[in-house]
Amino acid sequence: MKVLIVGGGGREHALAWKCASSSRVHQVFVAPGNAGTAAEPKVRNVGVAADDIDGLLRFAIDEDIDLTIVGPEGPLVAGIVDRFCAADRRCFGPSAKAARLEGSKAFTKDFLNRHRIPTASFATFTAANFDDGYVRAQRLPLVVKADGLAAGKGVVICETHESALSTARAMLGGSFGAAGNTIVIEEFLQGEEVSFIVVASDQQVIALATSQDHKRRDDGDKGPNTGGMGAYSPAPIVTPEQHLRIMREVIEPTLEGLQTDGNPYRGFLYAGLMIAADGTPNVLEFNCRFGDPETQPILMRLQSDLVDLCEAALDGTLGEAEVRWDPRVALGVVMAAGGYPDAYRKGDPITGLEAAAALPGKVFHAGTRIDGTRTVTAGGRVLCAVGLGDTVSAAQLQAYNLVHAIHWNLVQYRLDIGYRAIKCKEPVS
Ligand code: AMP
């Protein structure tokens, strides 16, 4: 069969690599892909942008693609699945209506409240009803969020009322474009963050292996927020009891709520959770797709066929599907371009990729492209080097051996990915 992966980041490289390993698949296309997907056996890049839904649909029809898997949120929120379904093309992901769980934070907060799913207390404002008094009456810190998609930048944690007020006014004034026409102001939650990702099909659900990422740029979880500087799976904080609570208190009521509201969900569903000291799994956000960089270590551990899993979800037979995992730990270290997450360098030649390919583990590409005979940087997060090991420390060592084999001008990466898991006792699930 032929599979099309939409997107061009590290998540999509991992999805393409995993689909290509299926004995049922003879060709994987990635639109637009990167230098890593271009070099993968059975995989070919296609020059169609991830947000060009017309172009993607035309390609899927012309090439008679059997299954399309959508990586990024943009095309999902814009309705790619609805368009493919209307043309009778199998496309794995939520409809535009269900993807509002990621596309609108105000929608999601209201949804969580109505269905009694734990989350931070909040209020929603537009420029017309913004209330200084509300902000001044809240305990600090406060979290100010743009309602719409803002490329991971629309959340600001404010330590003073003045900064909360000025952040809110800037968002409402257009600093994030239309994404900030509505804002959510919410309570700051304490705890430990966990990514919980499932494959869902209406109310049938299979939880994927747990994971945790490091969002801050610098060691010790300091510095500015980024799209993610590394991730590992499993997350030792998610004990079997915690797993059960997350399923019962978050995932099941969410899928049930979406169905009762008339927006049944099919696709990867990612819950960003803050686990409170008493174990309450508070929802910080939902993503309507697989996480990046969590996908890379999670798929390194997946032993079952990903294509079978997506097809079972599309066929409504997820309840009968079985998923097998490598019991080892997978840990991914993101290598980023100089300057990231602010304005970053592009076009720096990358050396050492061949040497790294001969080592154990796997280097997934994100922001890379081929320039003549060289591979050069082309994005903020450039590579994700993933190691496997019987312990977190062993996986970490393997990942950093890959990292140390690779170089480019002003490359930056954290030296402590996985330190929280190492501090915890070694994982059991
Ligand atoms: P979001 O896109 O809503 O997940 O927010 C991005 C990041 O901001 C999260 O991964 C958290 O680290 C942080 N964050 C968001 N909301 C809160 C909150 N209510 N309390 C504490 N941290 C938060």
Side-chain angles (χ1 to χ4, degrees), residues 20-219:
S21 75
S22 166
S23 56
R24 295 173 57 212
V25 172
H26 71 269
Q27 179 79 66
V28 177
F29 296 97
V30 192
N34 57 38
T37 52
E40 211 55 74
K42 290 208 275 188
V43 180
R44 227 174 79 195
N45 286 350
V46 182
V48 184
D51 59 359
D52 177 4
I53 296 178
D54 289 335
L56 292 167
L57 184 55
R58 214 174 311 120
F59 179 82
I61 293 170
D62 290 349
E63 276 291 338
D64 205 12
I65 298 291
D66 300 289
L67 172 68
T68 299
I69 302 175
V70 186
E73 64 278 15
L76 290 166
V77 172
I80 186 170
V81 172
D82 310 71
R83 289 285 306 284
F84 270 58
C85 282
D88 227 9
R89 290 279 138 191
R90 278 156 85 80
C91 187
F92 186 65
S95 66
K97 274 185 156 180
R100 274 186 301 174
L101 271 194
E102 176 161 6
S104 167
K105 291 192 191 288
F107 167 86
T108 300
K109 294 297 286 190
D110 172 63
F111 172 88
L112 292 167
N113 249 14
R114 275 192 295 113
H115 295 284
R116 302 178 188 286
I117 298 164
T119 191
S121 63
F122 74 104
T124 300
F125 297 102
T126 60
N129 71 354
F130 185 59
D131 178 5
D132 283 33
Y134 171 87
V135 172
R136 290 195 191 283
Q138 303 308 307
R139 263 214 320 248
L140 293 168
L142 268 176
V143 188
V144 182
K145 301 185 174 186
D147 174 56
L149 296 182
K153 299 209 163 83
V155 175
V156 184
I157 294 164
C158 301
E159 304 290 342
T160 65
H161 290 117
E162 275 57 45
S163 74
L165 284 168
S166 62
T167 302
R169 288 200 194 100
M171 282 185 186
L172 292 168
S175 61
F176 285 97
N181 286 351
T182 299
I183 60 168
V184 170
I185 299 187
E186 71 178 32
E187 164 200 12
F188 180 83
L189 294 172
Q190 306 283 351
E192 187 149 7
E193 259 186 273
V194 165
S195 314
F196 199 88
I197 307 173
V198 301
V199 177
S201 173
D202 302 338
Q203 285 190 54
Q204 296 178 6
V205 59
I206 284 191
L208 298 180
T210 58
S211 62
Q212 237 172 336
D213 74 345
H214 290 273
K215 286 230 161 53
R216 303 295 196 98
R217 187 191 58 195
D218 303 330
D219 286 356

Side-chain angles (χ1 to χ4, degrees), residues 83-393:
R83 289 285 306 284
F84 270 58
C85 282
D88 227 9
R89 290 279 138 191
R90 278 156 85 80
C91 187
F92 186 65
S95 66
K97 274 185 156 180
R100 274 186 301 174
L101 271 194
E102 176 161 6
S104 167
K105 291 192 191 288
F107 167 86
T108 300
K109 294 297 286 190
D110 172 63
F111 172 88
L112 292 167
N113 249 14
R114 275 192 295 113
H115 295 284
R116 302 178 188 286
I117 298 164
T119 191
S121 63
F122 74 104
T124 300
F125 297 102
T126 60
N129 71 354
F130 185 59
D131 178 5
D132 283 33
Y134 171 87
V135 172
R136 290 195 191 283
Q138 303 308 307
R139 263 214 320 248
L140 293 168
L142 268 176
V143 188
V144 182
K145 301 185 174 186
D147 174 56
L149 296 182
K153 299 209 163 83
V155 175
V156 184
I157 294 164
C158 301
E159 304 290 342
T160 65
H161 290 117
E162 275 57 45
S163 74
L165 284 168
S166 62
T167 302
R169 288 200 194 100
M171 282 185 186
L172 292 168
S175 61
F176 285 97
N181 286 351
T182 299
I183 60 168
V184 170
I185 299 187
E186 71 178 32
E187 164 200 12
F188 180 83
L189 294 172
Q190 306 283 351
E192 187 149 7
E193 259 186 273
V194 165
S195 314
F196 199 88
I197 307 173
V198 301
V199 177
S201 173
D202 302 338
Q203 285 190 54
Q204 296 178 6
V205 59
I206 284 191
L208 298 180
T210 58
S211 62
Q212 237 172 336
D213 74 345
H214 290 273
K215 286 230 161 53
R216 303 295 196 98
R217 187 191 58 195
D218 303 330
D219 286 356
D221 293 315
K222 306 235 161 51
N225 250 327
T226 69
M229 295 300 286
Y232 48 92
S233 171
I237 187 184
V238 186
T239 58
E241 299 74 47
Q242 190 66 59
H243 198 281
L244 207 63
R245 280 197 72 174
I246 295 170
M247 290 300 285
R248 285 214 183 118
E249 295 175 37
V250 176
I251 302 296
E252 287 163 13
T254 297
L255 296 174
E256 201 179 311
L258 284 163
Q259 193 149 37
T260 4
D261 290 353
N263 306 317
Y265 197 96
R266 189 166 297 174
F268 297 112
L269 176 64
Y270 170 126
L273 304 168
M274 187 72 88
I275 309 292
D278 68 354
T280 304
N282 286 299
V283 176
L284 290 176
E285 63 164 345
F286 282 118
N287 292 328
C288 61
R289 33 81 190 178
F290 226 136
D292 191 339
E294 293 93 331
T295 305
Q296 293 87 316
I298 290 177
L299 289 188
M300 279 287 277
R301 296 185 59 218
L302 179 63
Q303 290 174 328
S304 316
D305 189 317
L306 179 65
V307 172
D308 285 349
L309 196 60
C310 295
E311 289 214 309
L314 287 167
D315 293 337
T317 57
L318 203 53
E320 296 146 37
E322 214 194 303
V323 184
R324 281 171 292 106
W325 298 100
D326 187 326
R328 288 176 295 173
V329 177
L331 182 143
V333 178
V334 168
M335 302 178 74
Y340 179 77
D342 300 320
Y344 53 80
R345 298 165 59 90
K346 278 188 191 169
D348 287 314
I350 304 170
T351 58
L353 288 168
E354 272 178 27
L359 296 173
K362 172 88 185 159
V363 176
F364 293 104
H365 289 227
T368 64
R369 72 181 169 80
I370 295 166
D371 179 16
T373 55
R374 302 180 311 179
T375 300
V376 301
T377 66
R381 289 184 294 165
V382 178
L383 301 171
C384 180
V386 184
L388 276 170
D390 290 330
T391 61
V392 184
S393 307

